[in-house]
């Protein structure tokens, strides 16, 4: 990733409803730019489901993102799995590990290699 999206992180979820919940929370948050990518619709489906979200943060918005992730993971319980990717770096978050993983998610937004 280069230029304007160099701080962008891709978020995926184990279940489409979980990804919808993340996207709903991220939309409209100042300093966060969330962009959803939809999977192509298969024959017989009415629409396409979210495949992943790309999130770019500025300044203190990373803290807001971390709070949203923590709140969603804790409220949805151990069945939720969120996957984060930036370049070659990948993290998987579950309700059991959310507190340990949050500092690593923050590092994904760090511009230093």
């Amino acid at each position: 990733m280069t230029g304007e999206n160099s701080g962008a992180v891709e978020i995926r979820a184990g279940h489409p409803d979980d990804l919808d919940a993340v996207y709903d929370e991220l939309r409209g948050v100042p300093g966060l730019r969330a962009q959803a990518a939809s999977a192509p619709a298969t024959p017989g489906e009415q629409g396409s489901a979210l495949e992943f979200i790309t999130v770019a943060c500025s300044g203190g918005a990373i803290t807001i993102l971390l709070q949203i992730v923590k709140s969603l993971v804790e409220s949805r319980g151990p069945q939720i799995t969120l996957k984060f990717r930036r370049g070659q770096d990948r993290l998987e978050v579950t309700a059991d590990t959310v507190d340990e993983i949050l500092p690593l998610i923050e590092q994904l937004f760090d511009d230093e290699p």
Side-chain angles (χ1 to χ4, degrees), residues 3 9 38 48 58 63 72 77 82-83 85 92 97-98 103 105:
V9 171
S38 298
S48 55
S58 61
T63 302
L72 283 169
L82 297 177
K83 298 173 184 177
R85 180 177 70 90
E92 186 170 308
T97 62
V98 67
I105 297 171

Side-chain angles (χ1 to χ4, degrees), residues 4-16:
E4 186 178 323
N5 290 324
S6 64
V9 171
E10 182 181 290
I11 302 174
R12 294 180 181 264
H15 192 276

Side-chain angles (χ1 to χ4, degrees), residues 3 5 13 24 26 29-31 37 39 43-45 48 58-59 61 64-65 70 73-74 77-78 85 87 94 109:
N5 290 324
D24 287 345
L26 295 177
V29 174
E45 289 184 348
S48 55
S58 61
I64 296 169
L65 172 67
K70 181 176 180 172
V73 170
E74 289 176 344
R85 180 177 70 90
T94 64
F109 286 94

Side-chain angles (χ1 to χ4, degrees), residues 79-96:
Q79 75 275 8
I80 187 172
T81 299
L82 297 177
K83 298 173 184 177
F84 296 82
R85 180 177 70 90
R86 180 177 182 214
Q88 298 300 316
D89 297 328
R90 300 178 192 287
L91 288 174
E92 186 170 308
V93 177
T94 64
D96 296 333

Side-chain angles (χ1 to χ4, degrees), residues 1 4-12 19 22 26 32-35 52-57 62 65-66 69 83-87 89-91 104-111:
M1 292 181 215
E4 186 178 323
N5 290 324
S6 64
V9 171
E10 182 181 290
I11 302 174
R12 294 180 181 264
L19 194 57
V22 172
L26 295 177
L32 286 178
R33 204 169 52 246
Q35 184 174 16
F52 64 90
I53 302 167
T54 303
V55 180
C57 292
I62 294 170
L65 172 67
L66 296 177
V69 168
K83 298 173 184 177
F84 296 82
R85 180 177 70 90
R86 180 177 182 214
D89 297 328
R90 300 178 192 287
L91 288 174
L104 298 174
I105 297 171
E106 187 173 10
Q107 287 178 7
L108 285 177
F109 286 94
D110 206 353
D111 286 334

